[in-house]
Amino acid sequence: MENSAALLVIVDAANVVGSVPDGWWRDRRGAAERLRDRLASDGLPGRSGPVEIVLVVEGAARGVESVPGVRVEAAPGSGDDHMVALAAGAGDRPVLVVTADRELRRRVTALGADVTGPRSVPR
């Protein structure tokens, strides 16, 4: 049976932003907002069909607002734990997690999610 539900794309904002040494550490919130805006305008290259993008922020990036096309969720504690909870709560929906974090990758793939690295996100 084919699953026609929208792909749930969970983006590890801290990991993706931190993958490029462009001075993001001086303005973590601004870096997360720029990532959100790129995702909203460009989506996730190479993915067709319906997609729901959730950008998970934590720490200094909390307070970033959602925009059309990207729902932003501030992790109440650990960003990794929040992303695992989102993946676990997806039910039968296909899930793709964008991160390079090895432990997070292990945790979400154990739940059946697919994983891709930060380079899959538009720059």
Side-chain angles (χ1 to χ4, degrees), residues 35-57:
L35 172 58
R36 176 205 59 199
D37 294 347
R38 283 193 308 273
L39 288 166
S41 67
D42 299 340
L44 199 63
R47 300 290 168 171
S48 59
V51 175
E52 177 186 0
I53 300 174
V54 179
L55 181 66
V56 176
V57 297

Side-chain angles (χ1 to χ4, degrees), residues 16 21 35 45 51-52 56-57 81 84-87 108 119:
V16 171
L35 172 58
V51 175
E52 177 186 0
V56 176
V57 297
D81 289 347
V84 170
L86 288 170
V108 296
R119 290 186 181 164

Side-chain angles (χ1 to χ4, degrees), residues 38-105:
R38 283 193 308 273
L39 288 166
S41 67
D42 299 340
L44 199 63
R47 300 290 168 171
S48 59
V51 175
E52 177 186 0
I53 300 174
V54 179
L55 181 66
V56 176
V57 297
E58 58 188 317
R62 283 188 182 98
V64 172
E65 299 290 327
S66 296
V67 296
V70 178
R71 185 174 86 228
V72 179
E73 290 203 11
S78 160
D80 289 3
D81 289 347
H82 191 68
M83 287 179 273
V84 170
L86 288 170
D92 291 336
R93 286 179 71 183
V95 177
L96 176 66
V97 178
V98 181
T99 188
D101 181 298
R102 287 185 182 147
E103 178 61 14
L104 177 57
R105 291 170 76 95

